[in-house]
Amino acid sequence: MRVIFLAIGCAATLLATLYAKWLSVEHDVQGKIALILVDVQRDFMDDGPVPVKGALALLPIWNELLELAGGYGLIDHTIATADWHPEDHISFVSSHKGLQLGDQIHQCAASGQAGPDACHNITLFNSHCVAGSLGAQAPDGLATDRLDHTVRKGTLPDVESYSGLFDLGHTHSTGLVELLRARRVTALVVAGVATDYCVLYTVLDALEEGFQVFLVLDGCAGISAEAVHAALERMQAAGAVLVSLRGREGDHGAPSLLTELERARGKGHPGSQLEL
């Protein structure tokens, strides 16, 4: 009889171990979720040299998103992207004699380095986010202690990187893709500035790399209203799910981020597309 009980006990232990492993594999297959805060830096706030109107008002939203990785546990990793430019960066109008603020220059990648976007336009801005400067730092009030990692971009003088993943020509990686895959991230929650520049390109590159993307409408601000509208249409058409953290006018009845994250955790289907 004792042998029978021992056999039953061993079988139960084995089943429990196998079940625990099954749960672990199931979680790994489902993947993890990362928050990507795009370029939340002083020089992009309302009073900065490259002002994004309404950016400062988004600080509470950004902090609430960071909190989702704390008490709520709905987000596994929190990552910021940041411009970190040399003083003579190619995007600075001061680097181009005879050109004016807002002008564009055309650039093509060097022979042998051409990526899918080998040739592209670069808009000229005031000098901003120079490496080590105060303007490159996060604005006062952002809960930076809740950030796991910061990915710096635009670090080379002749390379522009709107996206947090690659430069415009797709010849240089920022290392973000590798970081996300190492952490088994499959879905991203994206917010920050500017919707019509760095947010747009970050989202498009992330989708191209196979990540599911939730774009937080009330956590983003842009430079041009017309360009923002076009950017939102472009991101949604590429597969981004447009969501809202708090809900506000102008969010087109976007579904709740919390609801969508819960669906993602439970392998549910994302909400229907919005009418922009």
Side-chain angles (χ1 to χ4, degrees), residues 160-229:
E160 176 63 303
S161 299
Y162 295 152
S163 166
L165 285 69
F166 302 100
D167 68 295
L168 281 179
H170 278 229
T171 59
H172 297 81
S173 169
T174 64
L176 179 54
V177 172
E178 295 80 2
L179 175 67
L180 293 172
R181 288 181 176 153
R183 297 186 179 186
R184 299 181 180 180
V185 171
T186 58
L188 307 179
V189 175
V190 178
V193 294
T195 310
D196 39 343
Y197 282 94
C198 297
V199 170
L200 168 64
Y201 284 87
T202 296
V203 167
L204 293 179
D205 277 350
L207 290 167
E208 184 67 26
E209 288 297 313
F211 296 100
Q212 184 177 18
V213 176
F214 300 98
L215 178 68
V216 185
L217 292 176
D218 48 352
C220 296
I223 294 176
S224 160
E226 184 178 351
V228 165
H229 184 81

Side-chain angles (χ1 to χ4, degrees), residues 22-275:
W22 179 83
L23 287 177
S24 176
V25 170
E26 185 73 10
H27 178 71
D28 287 344
V29 169
Q30 183 179 338
K32 297 182 183 296
I33 299 173
L35 169 66
I36 307 294
L37 282 185
V38 179
D39 296 6
V40 179
Q41 296 169 271
R42 289 174 183 263
D43 278 351
F44 294 129
M45 298 300 104
D46 303 62
D47 54 353
V50 184
V52 179
K53 185 178 180 180
L56 279 171
L58 299 182
L59 276 170
I61 294 284
W62 295 329
N63 284 334
E64 283 187 42
L65 289 170
L66 288 167
E67 181 62 26
L68 292 180
Y72 290 95
L74 289 174
I75 291 176
D76 301 295
H77 302 289
T78 54
I79 301 169
T81 70
D83 276 1
W84 199 255
H85 297 317
E87 293 182 352
D88 58 346
H89 192 250
I90 192 170
S91 70
F92 296 170
V93 67
S94 58
S95 298
H96 304 275
K97 291 183 179 179
L99 296 183
Q100 298 180 346
L101 193 66
D103 285 349
Q104 291 188 330
I105 62 171
H106 191 66
Q107 184 187 58
C108 290
S111 177
Q113 289 186 320
D117 303 306
C119 295
H120 46 269
N121 292 322
I122 297 174
T123 302
L124 301 183
F125 296 100
N126 287 323
S127 298
H128 61 277
C129 299
V130 173
S133 69
L134 183 63
Q137 306 304 318
D140 290 339
L142 185 70
T144 54
D145 59 312
R146 297 176 184 167
L147 285 169
D148 299 338
H149 191 83
T150 297
V151 172
R152 292 171 175 172
K153 59 191 181 72
T155 59
L156 300 175
D158 59 345
V159 176
E160 176 63 303
S161 299
Y162 295 152
S163 166
L165 285 69
F166 302 100
D167 68 295
L168 281 179
H170 278 229
T171 59
H172 297 81
S173 169
T174 64
L176 179 54
V177 172
E178 295 80 2
L179 175 67
L180 293 172
R181 288 181 176 153
R183 297 186 179 186
R184 299 181 180 180
V185 171
T186 58
L188 307 179
V189 175
V190 178
V193 294
T195 310
D196 39 343
Y197 282 94
C198 297
V199 170
L200 168 64
Y201 284 87
T202 296
V203 167
L204 293 179
D205 277 350
L207 290 167
E208 184 67 26
E209 288 297 313
F211 296 100
Q212 184 177 18
V213 176
F214 300 98
L215 178 68
V216 185
L217 292 176
D218 48 352
C220 296
I223 294 176
S224 160
E226 184 178 351
V228 165
H229 184 81
L232 292 176
E233 288 187 329
R234 190 174 170 187
M235 287 184 279
Q236 187 176 55
V241 179
L242 308 188
V243 297
S244 173
L245 179 62
R246 291 181 171 180
R248 70 176 185 188
E249 286 186 38
D251 283 347
H252 312 282
S256 162
L257 169 64
L258 299 182
T259 299
E260 293 302 314
L261 289 182
E262 288 168 355
R263 285 176 176 171
R265 289 294 191 191
K267 296 187 177 181
H269 297 289
S272 58
Q273 289 194 331
L274 303 181
E275 191 69 35

